[in-house]
Amino acid sequence: MHSASRTVLLTGATGFVGRHVLQALHTNQPDTRALLLCRRRADWNRQPWAAPLDNVDVVEGGVTGSEGWTGDNRLKGCAGIVHLAAVVRHSRRDTAELYETNIDGTLRMVR
């Protein structure tokens, strides 16, 4: 039995965890469409493992800015958000980007 088609917004799609979430959606939830929030469409297009994934669509933008992607009509009716975008650093130096992406970016997604 197939469930009705649904759409989820996914951030961090080009990262390690995002890649595996997308592949699992493709395999296990073929009726689920993923809208990928990517800073640059070219970043997504460079992913060699992404070619067989036919259940994705790119929304260009990022979690740290207000590029206007939030008004994209494809976001209406999303079933949920899988927020995986993050900056990972193992240092306490230069924490501004880390804070902006991991804290402020997450707050933007919640809002």
Side-chain angles (χ1 to χ4, degrees):
M1 173 169 60
H2 285 285
S3 61
S5 180
R6 63 181 168 198
T7 301
V8 296
L9 176 66
L10 183 106
T11 69
T14 59
F16 179 79
V17 176
R19 171 186 181 168
H20 292 284
V21 167
L22 281 173
Q23 289 171 329
L25 273 175
H26 179 75
T27 301
N28 301 316
Q29 298 290 323
D31 291 337
T32 299
R33 183 140 197 89
L35 287 175
L36 311 179
L37 183 62
C38 291
R39 284 180 293 241
R40 291 169 297 280
R41 184 178 302 273
D43 293 344
W44 173 252
N45 293 339
R46 278 195 294 271
Q47 304 302 317
W49 51 266
L53 303 178
D54 58 1
N55 62 336
V56 299
D57 196 11
V58 174
V59 174
E60 202 162 11
V63 298
T64 60
S66 56
E67 294 90 1
W69 61 266
T70 57
D72 191 306
N73 285 332
R74 294 174 292 175
L75 296 171
K76 292 181 180 170
C78 274
I81 298 172
V82 180
H83 177 52
L84 303 172
V87 172
V88 178
R89 255 191 226 123
H90 302 287
S91 170
R92 292 184 184 194
R93 295 178 186 210
D94 303 319
T95 59
E97 180 189 22
L98 192 89
Y99 190 91
E100 183 180 12
T101 300
N102 298 353
I103 305 300
D104 290 340
T106 298
L107 288 172
R108 283 184 189 97
M109 295 309 298
V110 169
R111 291 180 184 131

